[in-house]
Amino acid sequence: MNQSLQQPNRLREGGRIDRARTLSFTFNGKRYQGHAGDTLASALMANGVDIVNRSFKYSRPRGIVAAGAEEPNALIQLGSTEAAQVPNVRATQQALFDGLVARSTNGWPNVQRDAMGLVGKLGGRFMPPGFYYKTFMAPASMWMTYEKFIRKGAGLGRSPMERDPDSYDHFNQHCDLLVIGAGPAGLAAALVAARGGVRVILCDEQEELGGSLLDSRELLDHQPATQWVAQVLEELASLDNVILLPRTTAHGYHDHHFVTLHERRTEHLGETAPVVDGVCSSRSRLHRLRAGQVLLATGAHERPLVYAGNDVPGNLVAGAVSTYIRRYGVAPGNKLVLSTSNDHAYRAALDWDEAGREVVAIVDARQAPDGELVEQARARGIRIIEGSAVLEAKGSARVNGARVATIDAAAFKVTGKAETLACDTIATSGGYSPVIHLASHTGARPTWNDELLGFVPTLVKGVHAAGSARGVHDLAEGLADGVSAATKALDALGQSAGSVELPQVDARREGKACALYQVPHEKPTLRAPKQFVDLQNDVTAAAIELATREGFESIEHVKRYTAMGFGTDQGKLGNINGMAIAARCLAKSIPEVGTTVFRPNYTPVTFGAIAGRHCRELFDPERYTALHQWHVEHGAEFEDVGQWKRPWYFPKSANDKQESMDEAVARECLAVREKVGILDASTLGKIDIQGPGAREFLNRIYTNKWAKLEVGRARYGLMCRDDGMLMDDGTTSCLGENHFLMTTTTGGAAGVMEWLELWHQTEWPELDVTFTSVTDHWATMTVTGPEARHLLAEITDIDLDRDTFKFMDWREGKVAEVPARVFRISFTGELAYEINVQANYAMHVWKTLFEHGEKYGLTPYGTETMHVLRAEKGFIIAGQETDGSVTPEDLGMQWAIGYDKPYSWVGKRGLSRSDTRRTNRKQLVGLKPRDPSVVLEEGAQIVFDPDHAIPMPMVGHVTSSYYSPTLKSGFALAVVKGGQSRMGETVYLPMADGKTHAAEIVGPIFYDPKGARQHV
């Protein structure tokens, strides 16, 4: 079978494809062939595939309309396996590779005969904008049923149900000048900057750099434009100060010239990334780029005209016709009708004619067009119908005719009798819209230009635009504009531009374009066949007109009511037309109506690229202490605390039976209370604070006083948000007059560090203070229990006498011959020493403690035992006894609040509010179950009256609850409304199983209320 039969629309010659490399691919279950250099769209078109998808709302057959990122219809599903599924890939941006498997995202049982298409055809008139809200409001009980069917019918493509086999990465970069767009203006700009010696990054979303020059009819220095492109790229590639990034879309422009780029690194090679030298390549990369200056050379999108039946397969924008012919060697059909309002679109007819296909007619909305391209068309004998437009495309699965008539564009009416022209392709052009999306990401509103009939970008400082991106469409002027913009950018950088001699471009005379957006029809818009404005979202001219009739005057409201410009389309083809229609209906001008706001992302970015390597085990890294291996070897069960793996408890085995958690915790608790236990507390956050302003800073960030804390002493502190609610707690030790070590909760360390920096940098920059996280630098071992002093004394040179090393003191010395800081701080209520050593020596010290501790019954304990012991003492845990609505006073910690400090502190004003002064706030109390064997459920709700009708007034909840082997009963901490004044009262806890537990409100300290044991 020869090539023409295999690919009926493939031209025998021409294009930038490699005809020597034939590639096979599958679309909707059928095998086809294309060539290296094809996109999936060009290959489908070469094979005569007309219907590539079904529309979003009405399930109408849709074909390829454009050739680049602006394509609204050809969103396809990629992947031959479940794991390789990628939804909503633009066929116009997907390079063809051998073995590619794709299918349409919509259409059941298939895209040719879609059952939903019948619903759209018969019921489309009953589905105006907002019909969901109007139709499915009642009865309310049916909404869940409606929703199932609506969701089933909505959406495009599907996500994979298996793990992605590929890897992705992030790349952080800086450059002096980022040039976005590698068309004529972008290439000229990059060349000037590169020769000036600055660091340049040039990116473009296409497979090749060159932009519109890759399919241009223009000659540069009397040579094909592609020859100049090749010369420039060869020079740029040879320079060390230039990075070239094809297949890379600048999809987001953020503050301070921070731009995110999505580079499709291997998506053109296969459905999974190849393995090179045993290493799997990344599939795509997210560049996080900070630029000194940014130059937008993003070009322009050609606007299609809005007319009846403009969504039937075979309707294309004129520029796409030229692109497929000149770049891919594909003619999209056989008989062309071109409808235009400008000279530049004539290029499509000339290219079509040169490809040996029939140009039925050029329908020009202008009277007496006279540009050079118009004269070339006349010279070739092509029929030109002046003052007219295509009113309606005929056909269903493919265009088979075009109804043409004379029109009065200004008056929006048909002025002559319609003529039907037999054709299979209609190309249209209503002008060119500069690509202003990235400029709009900066927050700058674009400006309407009447001469260009389009919006041009408003630029913030450090941003430049060149070429068609700012409405300079002429090739020679665009090249010069690129040089000018780059020169200004380099001047802003304090650099000189390099010398560049631009190629000679023959001047071309063009006639003035006319303003035509929606083509009038003999019938009113609401009665005429559907005229689509936004092809991706099935938004019609009638929908916009209806929206304005229903009172939507703001273009942002029109957008949201109709869905114009939603989704992956972002209004690339339809927004200007939609604004023009709204303006006509509201009797306003387009600038009065304005434009919608464009936001990142410019085109879709895969979740893989966004996540990069931050997935699976790297998504939320597991952190281990220096003693982790010992815990593993000794059978610890672990729990996650923040990112840390902490020993939960250490079950022992005897007679082939392993202790339960309750048994292990009971044993560990008694060991601490009666002998000595040891805890790996290395995960506590540690922040080193230094500087002359350190003491004052602590005074402002904590609720209590720090001005007189002596060197060698530690103090417990509470940290509040500015609303007065407790956010973290911990001890801070004075290591030197201007040097402190702050400890935080394990899970709160990062948040506290950020909090300190926030207040220092934004509120108190005058304080000379620095913060350094040292959590990983130090390992912490807590030795606690009646025998703790005896054990530690055997391996340290520090004097541990109770009178010289008091509670809340710290000392420096050696432990097991290792330099250490030892803090006499207790979270158990027993005599305790927290030993801090450089983390690399932790295992040696730990093992030495066990060697000497055997005779004292040294027992490792985990976080569950720690919780029991601290709760027995009424010690809180931030995040357990607190929930963002609890103040220090609610916890009974008035003693830790310095209302008389000379400088206001964070949370003071919040605590003075009337709400925080209420006496019936939830307050921390202890609960003693009437039945000592009962362990109340954490989170259980508390009521005063168990017989109250449902819904019962809930007056508090249990925050911590355990069984105490020391107390031989269950006990709990809770917050209860007015609880501190209700001591001795009984409260009730109704449970889900119907039982109700009674408990007595008691003080929160259950064990050694005077604290004698920790002061021995």
Side-chain angles (χ1 to χ4, degrees):
M1 183 180 293
N2 62 39
Q3 184 188 55
S4 63
L5 292 176
Q6 292 175 349
Q7 301 178 47
N9 287 342
R10 181 76 70 183
L11 300 176
R12 293 188 177 277
E13 57 183 18
R16 296 178 60 80
I17 57 172
D18 183 355
R19 295 174 185 267
R21 292 177 57 200
T22 300
L23 307 175
S24 295
F25 69 100
T26 302
F27 182 69
N28 286 336
K30 187 174 180 180
R31 291 184 64 82
Y32 299 98
Q33 289 186 335
H35 296 290
D38 266 323
T39 62
L40 176 57
S42 66
L44 288 171
M45 196 168 282
N47 284 275
V49 177
D50 296 326
I51 302 176
V52 296
N53 219 339
R54 287 281 174 161
S55 71
F56 173 75
K57 182 175 179 180
Y58 300 117
S59 292
R60 290 166 68 101
R62 290 285 166 82
I64 296 165
V65 169
E70 70 275 24
E71 169 58 40
N73 293 334
L75 303 182
I76 52 88
Q77 184 91 18
L78 277 185
S80 63
T81 65
E82 183 59 35
Q85 294 300 304
V86 182
N88 302 327
V89 176
R90 278 180 169 80
T92 51
Q93 292 189 297
Q94 176 58 55
L96 192 68
F97 56 81
D98 199 43
L100 181 148
V101 176
R103 65 180 180 279
S104 305
T105 54
N106 270 357
W108 183 87
N110 57 62
V111 74
Q112 299 293 332
R113 295 177 177 81
D114 180 23
M116 287 297 293
L118 186 62
V119 176
K121 189 173 183 178
L122 299 178
R125 57 181 295 200
F126 303 109
M127 293 190 287
F131 86 94
Y132 297 107
Y133 317 113
K134 301 170 183 175
T135 307
F136 299 108
M137 292 298 293
S141 60
M142 286 295 291
W143 171 249
M144 297 301 288
T145 303
Y146 298 147
E147 185 181 31
K148 291 178 184 177
F149 290 98
I150 292 172
R151 288 193 178 279
K152 188 174 182 180
L156 298 169
R158 66 178 186 84
S159 298
M161 303 299 290
E162 294 181 4
R163 178 170 167 168
D164 190 339
D166 286 313
S167 62
Y168 306 80
D169 55 26
H170 289 172
F171 207 72
N172 297 318
Q173 296 193 84
H174 291 80
C175 68
D176 297 312
L177 178 64
L178 170 64
V179 181
I180 303 173
L187 288 175
L191 189 60
V192 167
R195 289 181 179 177
V198 300
R199 295 174 300 165
V200 178
I201 293 180
L202 174 64
C203 68
D204 193 281
E205 64 189 356
Q206 296 193 65
E207 291 292 311
E208 296 181 85
L209 303 180
S212 62
L213 296 178
L214 297 176
D215 54 70
S216 176
R217 298 175 59 84
E218 305 280 358
L219 298 179
L220 302 184
D221 285 338
H222 309 291
Q223 299 292 331
T226 52
Q227 187 169 320
W228 181 79
V229 170
Q231 292 170 354
V232 172
L233 292 178
E234 182 179 5
E235 178 177 343
L236 292 175
S238 70
L239 298 175
D240 293 335
N241 60 318
V242 177
I243 296 175
L244 301 178
L245 294 175
R247 306 184 199 89
T248 302
T249 302
H251 60 86
Y253 197 136
H254 311 277
D255 290 340
H256 309 296
H257 310 320
F258 178 68
V259 184
T260 47
L261 312 177
H262 179 215
E263 180 187 5
R264 304 182 302 279
R265 302 193 69 219
T266 59
E267 293 177 11
H268 61 295
L269 301 177
E271 70 177 21
T272 57
V275 176
V276 180
D277 297 329
V279 178
C280 183
S281 305
S282 62
R283 186 158 182 80
S284 63
R285 172 176 290 165
L286 186 69
H287 295 260
R288 297 151 51 89
L289 193 147
R290 185 81 66 180
Q293 299 279 301
V294 177
L295 195 154
L296 303 176
T298 48
H301 289 146
E302 189 171 21
R303 291 192 302 271
L305 296 173
V306 177
Y307 51 96
N310 61 336
D311 68 322
V312 176
N315 285 281
L316 291 90
V317 290
V321 170
S322 290
T323 298
Y324 286 115
I325 291 173
R326 300 185 65 85
R327 186 169 174 185
Y328 300 108
V330 175
N334 293 296
K335 301 176 69 175
L336 173 72
V337 170
L338 171 65
S339 184
T340 182
S341 63
N342 60 83
D343 277 13
H344 197 262
Y346 276 68
R347 186 178 69 124
L350 298 174
D351 290 334
W352 191 275
D353 183 65
E354 290 173 3
R357 306 297 169 104
E358 180 185 354
V359 179
V360 177
I362 298 174
V363 186
D364 197 322
R366 301 169 297 175
Q367 296 290 345
D370 61 350
E372 286 187 24
L373 291 176
V374 178
E375 292 174 358
Q376 289 182 32
R378 286 197 177 106
R380 296 188 187 191
I382 297 175
R383 181 187 178 191
I384 298 176
I385 305 175
E386 300 175 1
S388 303
V390 171
L391 307 184
E392 184 176 347
K394 306 301 289 183
S396 177
R398 174 78 193 201
V399 167
N400 59 32
R403 293 184 65 246
V404 176
T406 56
I407 63 168
D408 184 336
F412 190 64
K413 66 179 181 179
V414 178
T415 58
K417 185 177 180 181
E419 172 189 2
T420 300
L421 304 177
C423 63
D424 61 8
T425 306
I426 299 174
T428 69
S429 176
Y432 295 85
S433 301
V435 178
I436 59 173
H437 297 68
L438 290 174
S440 298
H441 292 177
T442 66
R445 286 280 188 171
T447 305
W448 179 259
N449 185 307
D450 271 323
E451 183 147 341
L452 296 171
L453 302 175
F455 283 97
V456 293
T458 299
L459 304 175
V460 299
K461 184 178 180 180
V463 183
H464 311 266
S468 290
R470 72 180 196 94
V472 181
H473 301 312
D474 179 81
L475 179 54
E477 293 177 5
L479 289 166
D481 200 42
V483 171
S484 174
T487 302
K488 292 177 182 177
L490 266 64
D491 184 60
L493 292 168
Q495 301 290 331
S496 299
S499 175
V500 171
E501 184 177 345
L502 292 176
Q504 179 183 346
V505 182
D506 292 337
R508 172 170 288 158
R509 179 174 52 83
E510 286 194 0
K512 186 177 180 179
C514 75
L516 180 62
Y517 308 98
Q518 180 190 359
V519 178
H521 194 275
E522 295 98 334
K523 297 179 180 179
T525 300
L526 290 171
R527 298 295 181 189
K530 285 183 169 55
Q531 301 163 302
F532 286 92
V533 177
D534 184 330
L535 289 161
Q536 186 172 110
N537 296 297
D538 268 356
V539 179
T540 63
I544 295 172
E545 187 169 315
L546 181 62
T548 61
R549 287 189 178 190
E550 294 190 6
F552 294 95
E553 296 184 3
S554 164
I555 194 63
E556 292 286 3
H557 293 163
V558 171
K559 170 185 175 178
R560 281 153 182 80
Y561 191 56
T562 64
M564 180 183 74
F566 273 21
T568 68
D569 183 70
Q570 288 288 295
K572 294 179 181 67
L573 290 185
N575 260 28
I576 299 296
N577 288 333
M579 294 165 201
I581 294 168
R584 175 178 58 77
C585 294
L586 295 169
K588 295 181 178 180
S589 66
I590 293 178
E592 286 176 323
V593 170
T595 182
T596 58
V597 176
F598 297 109
R599 299 178 177 86
N601 291 320
Y602 170 66
T603 53
V605 180
T606 64
F607 282 112
I610 294 170
R613 299 298 171 96
H614 304 290
C615 60
R616 298 190 273 274
E617 65 275 4
L618 296 180
F619 173 67
D620 193 16
E622 291 183 356
R623 300 177 71 179
Y624 306 117
T625 72
L627 302 169
H628 183 79
Q629 189 57 38
W630 189 94
H631 303 322
V632 172
E633 292 171 356
H634 287 76
E637 295 290 337
F638 293 90
E639 74 165 335
D640 295 324
V641 183
Q643 293 178 326
W644 291 96
K645 287 289 185 183
R646 295 197 68 179
W648 192 12
Y649 60 96
F650 291 84
K652 284 188 173 182
S653 297
N655 300 321
D656 296 327
K657 183 180 179 182
Q658 183 171 284
E659 286 179 318
S660 66
M661 183 178 77
D662 292 341
E663 292 169 337
V665 169
R667 173 179 53 77
E668 293 170 10
C669 285
L670 292 174
V672 172
R673 294 291 183 218
E674 298 172 1
K675 296 180 181 179
V676 62
I678 187 168
L679 171 76
D680 181 359
S682 305
T683 63
L684 289 176
K686 307 173 194 70
I687 301 173
D688 189 270
I689 304 175
Q690 298 189 46
R695 194 178 292 271
E696 176 61 22
F697 185 89
L698 291 173
N699 231 24
R700 298 181 187 183
I701 205 74
Y702 274 132
T703 63
N704 48 342
K705 299 178 181 180
W706 297 84
K708 297 181 180 180
L709 183 66
E710 300 172 351
V711 176
R713 292 288 288 167
R715 180 167 293 166
Y716 176 75
L718 300 177
M719 197 176 294
C720 288
R721 299 195 313 251
D722 40 5
D723 61 359
M725 304 304 157
L726 188 73
M727 64 172 284
D728 206 84
D729 69 335
T731 61
T732 294
S733 304
C734 184
L735 306 184
E737 186 57 34
N738 298 320
H739 189 187
F740 297 84
L741 180 68
M742 175 186 289
T743 63
T744 73
T745 56
T746 295
V752 170
M753 182 70 178
E754 183 179 5
W755 186 249
L756 302 184
E757 290 285 6
L758 174 69
W759 281 89
H760 179 230
Q761 293 182 31
T762 64
E763 303 299 325
W764 308 319
E766 74 280 3
L767 295 181
D768 185 1
V769 59
T770 60
F771 314 97
T772 305
S773 174
V774 293
T775 301
D776 293 293
H777 300 191
W778 296 88
T780 302
M781 294 156 275
T782 300
V783 179
T784 180
E787 301 290 348
R789 181 179 286 119
H790 298 131
L791 169 57
L792 184 56
E794 295 188 13
I795 61 171
T796 185
D797 61 0
I798 299 172
D799 183 0
L800 302 180
D801 183 79
R802 61 170 292 178
D803 295 323
T804 57
F805 192 177
K806 299 178 181 179
F807 182 64
M808 298 301 283
D809 281 352
W810 76 271
R811 296 290 182 267
E812 206 162 37
K814 289 187 177 181
V815 176
E817 301 302 319
V818 174
R821 292 173 182 163
V822 179
F823 301 81
R824 194 174 162 191
I825 298 169
S826 179
F827 199 48
T828 63
E830 301 292 339
L831 172 65
Y833 300 93
E834 291 186 1
I835 304 166
N836 283 245
V837 299
Q838 203 276 339
N840 291 339
Y841 297 101
M843 190 66 79
H844 164 73
V845 175
W846 183 269
K847 289 181 176 179
T848 302
L849 283 165
F850 272 93
E851 289 172 5
H852 289 260
E854 186 175 358
K855 58 180 171 290
Y856 298 109
L858 181 62
T859 300
Y861 68 94
T863 54
E864 190 66 19
T865 295
M866 177 194 73
H867 282 299
V868 176
L869 298 173
R870 65 89 194 169
E872 288 175 343
K873 286 292 295 176
F875 296 151
I876 69 162
I877 287 186
Q880 189 153 339
E881 270 61 57
T882 68
D883 60 1
S885 66
V886 177
T887 70
E889 292 190 350
D890 296 336
L891 299 170
M893 292 184 174
Q894 290 84 347
W895 53 268
I897 306 176
Y899 282 113
D900 58 345
K901 287 195 288 184
Y903 193 97
S904 184
W905 37 273
V906 178
K908 181 178 180 180
R909 290 185 64 187
L911 288 173
S912 67
R913 292 180 294 125
S914 59
D915 178 69
T916 59
R917 311 307 302 170
R918 287 187 293 110
T919 57
N920 66 336
R921 287 180 59 82
K922 290 182 180 180
Q923 298 167 345
L924 182 70
V925 296
L927 292 183
K928 186 176 179 181
R930 287 283 176 83
D931 182 349
S933 66
V934 169
V935 177
L936 301 173
E937 287 187 17
E938 291 184 353
Q941 295 297 312
I942 299 169
V943 300
F944 290 145
D945 180 5
D947 298 320
H948 193 288
I950 295 175
M952 295 180 175
M954 291 175 284
V955 296
H957 65 276
V958 176
T959 60
S960 299
S961 181
Y962 310 96
Y963 180 82
S964 168
T966 303
L967 304 174
K968 294 183 172 53
S969 69
F971 73 103
L973 298 177
V975 287
V976 176
K977 286 185 178 179
Q980 293 169 4
S981 63
R982 291 180 174 274
M983 295 297 159
E985 294 185 14
T986 299
V987 293
Y988 301 89
L989 298 93
M991 309 306 294
D993 61 5
K995 294 180 181 178
T996 299
H997 298 302
E1000 179 187 354
I1001 296 180
V1002 297
I1005 305 175
F1006 292 86
Y1007 179 77
D1008 187 25
K1010 294 185 178 180
R1013 296 177 67 89
Q1014 66 190 18
H1015 287 87
V1016 296

